[in-house]
């Protein structure tokens, strides 16, 4: 634990359904708790934070402030303009929470930094729509998706080597043949025919600079 967090109650959890459910429930069991500090390890830290936020969402406890201490810079720290390491620990104690869009998918998985829709072994055939704007129809290799700190909440783009065009909206919907979903570096075990990543009706409270 970073020195700045000395004295805080430590609750350990793994990024698994039962462990995370028990850990978050214990962390917010006391109604006096207004802030939790998520100290993530090096293995998919954004996904670990997303699992905590997802449990708060399911428990209808999104009023609890969340501070994020990532060991190193991640796509999520870039999206939200956060420090990492010791500086993040200092911010966890001294920062002020602000409301930011909560981005999730239809499986109730929260996306913190980045997600993608790809084919199993390369390109896939399908269609992606951001709100009412079509991103592509036909064949594509990868659709990139990321949260935004401000309205409307999420944006999508076709992966290209140069000058990607990002389209912002409240939802990115992809339908197609054997679409593989990856969220914050974790690939779903099975392909699907449809995936929607969208803004939840309620924001979450992120401790920010």
């Amino acid at each position: 634990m970073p020195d700045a967090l000395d004295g805080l109650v430590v609750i350990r959890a793994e990024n698994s359904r039962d462990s995370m459910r028990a850990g978050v429930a214990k962390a917010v069991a006391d109604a006096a708790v207004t802030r939790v500090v998520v100290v993530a390890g090096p293995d998919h830290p954004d996904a670990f934070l997303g699992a905590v936020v997802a449990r708060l969402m399911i428990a209808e406890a999104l009023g609890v402030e969340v501070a994020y201490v990532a060991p190193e810079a991640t796509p999520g720290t870039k999206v939200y303009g956060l420090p990492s390491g010791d500086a993040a620990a200092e911010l966890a104690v001294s920062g002020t929470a602000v409301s930011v869009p909560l981005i999730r998918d239809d499986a109730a998985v929260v996306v913190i930094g980045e997600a993608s829709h790809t084919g199993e072994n390369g390109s896939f055939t399908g269609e992606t729509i951001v709100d009412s704007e079509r991103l592509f129809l036909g064949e594509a290799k990868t659709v990139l998706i990321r949260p935004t700190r401000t309205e409307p909440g999420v944006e999508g783009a076709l992966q290209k080597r140069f000058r990607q065009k990002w389209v912002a909206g409240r939802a990115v919907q992809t339908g197609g043949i054997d679409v593989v979903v990856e969220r914050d570096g974790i690939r779903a075990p099975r392909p699907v025919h449809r995936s929607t990543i969208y803004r939840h009706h309620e924001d979450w409270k992120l401790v920010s600079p």
Side-chain angles (χ1 to χ4, degrees):
M1 290 284 289
D3 292 343
L5 303 181
D6 284 348
L8 298 185
V9 175
V10 177
I11 299 172
R12 300 189 183 279
E14 298 177 353
N15 191 0
S16 65
R17 185 181 63 180
D18 291 344
S19 179
M20 190 61 68
R21 178 170 54 192
V24 172
K26 186 175 181 180
V28 300
D30 187 341
V33 172
T34 59
R35 177 176 296 189
V36 295
V37 179
V38 180
V39 181
D43 185 21
H44 303 302
D46 285 348
F48 186 84
L49 173 62
V52 173
V53 177
R55 290 311 313 176
L56 292 174
M57 175 183 69
I58 292 168
E60 298 183 350
L62 289 173
V64 175
E65 299 173 356
V66 179
Y68 182 29
V69 181
E72 298 179 346
T74 69
T77 61
K78 182 178 179 180
V79 165
Y80 297 109
L82 300 175
S84 58
D86 289 341
E90 297 279 354
L91 177 66
V93 176
S94 63
T96 301
V98 298
S99 293
V100 295
L102 191 162
I103 304 306
R104 55 168 291 186
D105 69 3
D106 33 20
V109 177
V110 171
V111 177
I112 297 298
E114 60 184 4
S116 65
H117 294 151
T118 64
E120 278 196 281
N121 299 298
S123 301
F124 70 96
T125 300
E127 178 183 27
T128 294
I129 296 174
V130 182
D131 287 358
S132 60
E133 182 172 344
R134 178 180 287 154
L135 201 61
F136 90 97
L137 173 64
E139 187 172 292
K141 184 175 182 181
T142 302
V143 177
L144 303 175
I145 305 152
R146 65 188 183 191
T148 60
R149 186 182 174 112
T150 56
E151 302 281 352
V154 67
E155 56 187 6
L158 287 179
Q159 186 177 49
K160 295 181 179 180
R161 180 174 293 184
F162 304 108
R163 299 179 65 85
Q164 288 161 271
K165 179 186 176 183
W166 290 91
V167 179
R170 292 183 64 90
V172 179
Q173 304 176 68
T174 296
I177 301 172
D178 292 337
V179 178
V180 176
V181 184
E182 185 172 299
R183 316 168 188 93
D184 288 322
I186 297 180
R187 184 181 171 111
R190 293 177 296 277
V192 296
H193 296 304
R194 184 172 300 277
S195 173
T196 303
I197 295 177
Y198 63 97
R199 182 177 181 176
H200 188 60
H201 68 272
E202 188 176 355
D203 292 349
W204 61 297
K205 298 184 181 302
L206 177 65
V207 177
S208 301

